[in-house]
Amino acid sequence: MTSKPMPIEVAFALLREGRVVEAEELMAREVKAVTKKHGRGSTAWAAAQCDLGSLLLNCDRMGRAIECFRDAASVAPGQDYEAARDQLSYRMNLGMVLRMAGRLDEAETELRRGAEDRLAFYGREHAGYAFGLEPLAELLLQRGNLREARPVIDETVANFWRNGHERVATALALRAEIVRAEGAEGSLFGDLAQLPDHVVEQVCASVLNRAGHGDQTIYQAVLADLVAVLEARLGPDHQATLNALSQLANTGRERGD
């Protein structure tokens, strides 16, 4: 017996069909119903605001999405563990979307607070703390604050590595850009020798997903270093190597190289 789909699932299905107005109206009705049943400022209301924000973000309604995430993050979770964990996610979403919108001062405030709250909630050794550090490192890189970005991303990588968490792949991709931006010489991906092949492939995918972010001169240097590592580790004919080579060629062509 299949369960009834959640309103957010139905809304995203409508969005995929191009029925944007219907998707937004569905979620607006859901927020109204939750508010009536549980009250404004309840944890259920916060969850509904987050769902609406996610939908609006995918509808290119970034300003309205920010306000939804801000409303969700403003709700005090009390002593409820799950609600407290959700609230940490809401604040991280808020900080990340503020960064995407170019509102960097606000984004840094929210991401720093989010990282501090995660440290208090999870402790320094838990992977949940590193989830808050990674977007902060991204924001610091974007702001050119490499002095702070480097120790933040180093702690992120070390945390995910200790915990055997797959997010180490995205953290390693981000660290490569930060290290190259610092002007460091040598291989950016020396750690890959200690990882299994499937994680190396995830690192490759994470680097490729960063196309178009930040300084493209730095990104091209990161790609070139990655290609050399992949050729030596996986071979020149491996699909991951070929994907990285293709991305390197595309990036160079776009830059007139």
Side-chain angles (χ1 to χ4, degrees):
M1 182 176 179
T2 58
S3 59
K4 182 179 179 181
M6 301 292 289
I8 188 62
E9 295 173 335
V10 177
F12 269 104
L14 291 170
L15 190 60
R16 287 191 293 271
E17 295 174 6
R19 298 159 66 181
V20 178
V21 174
E22 292 175 71
E24 290 188 24
E25 289 177 344
L26 171 62
M27 284 311 303
R29 289 195 301 271
E30 175 64 13
V31 170
K32 185 176 180 179
V34 169
T35 304
K36 182 178 180 180
K37 181 176 181 180
H38 299 280
R40 182 182 179 87
S42 64
T43 56
W45 179 82
Q49 288 292 338
C50 181
D51 285 345
L52 177 57
S54 298
L55 181 75
L56 291 169
L57 182 61
N58 283 271
C59 295
D60 295 324
R61 301 273 302 280
M62 191 171 291
R64 181 74 183 91
I66 287 171
E67 295 312 309
C68 288
F69 288 129
R70 195 185 300 281
D71 283 343
S74 71
V75 174
Q79 300 301 311
D80 187 313
Y81 178 87
E82 293 298 328
R85 190 172 63 176
D86 289 342
Q87 202 262 1
L88 293 172
S89 296
Y90 303 154
R91 187 166 302 283
M92 185 170 70
N93 289 341
L94 172 60
M96 292 169 67
V97 179
L98 284 167
R99 183 187 65 79
M100 292 166 58
R103 295 162 60 172
L104 302 187
D105 287 342
E106 295 174 80
E108 185 167 345
T109 296
E110 297 298 339
L111 291 174
R112 284 188 183 278
R113 179 178 173 183
E116 291 169 0
D117 289 349
R118 282 174 175 270
L119 176 59
F121 185 78
Y122 289 112
R124 190 171 297 277
E125 301 303 314
H126 195 283
Y129 175 47
F131 270 91
L133 291 176
E134 189 174 359
L136 176 59
E138 176 93 49
L139 182 278
L140 293 169
L141 171 63
Q142 186 173 345
R143 305 205 78 172
N145 186 352
L146 302 178
R147 182 181 62 82
E148 289 193 73
R150 179 62 186 274
V152 171
I153 194 59
D154 282 346
E155 184 170 8
T156 305
V157 169
N159 182 304
F160 284 141
W161 195 291
R162 283 195 309 272
N163 284 289
H165 201 288
E166 62 182 10
R167 285 286 298 216
V168 72
T170 62
L172 285 168
L174 177 57
R175 189 181 70 174
E177 285 190 38
I178 292 172
V179 172
R180 181 58 76 212
E182 288 182 315
E185 299 295 332
S187 176
L188 302 173
F189 296 101
D191 292 339
L192 266 59
Q194 304 173 52
L195 295 172
D197 286 355
H198 75 278
V199 179
V200 173
E201 293 172 15
Q202 291 173 15
V203 173
C204 175
S206 297
V207 172
L208 300 188
N209 286 339
R210 294 188 60 76
H213 294 266
D215 188 319
Q216 291 305 287
T217 300
I218 291 173
Y219 182 66
Q220 189 172 16
V222 170
L223 271 175
D225 194 83
L226 177 66
V227 166
V229 170
L230 292 176
E231 287 179 333
R233 171 65 183 273
L234 301 177
D237 297 324
H238 192 282
Q239 190 60 55
T241 308
L242 296 174
N243 290 344
L245 280 166
S246 177
Q247 185 77 287
L248 181 60
N250 291 338
T251 302
R253 184 165 55 249
E254 290 170 2
R255 299 184 63 245
D257 185 354

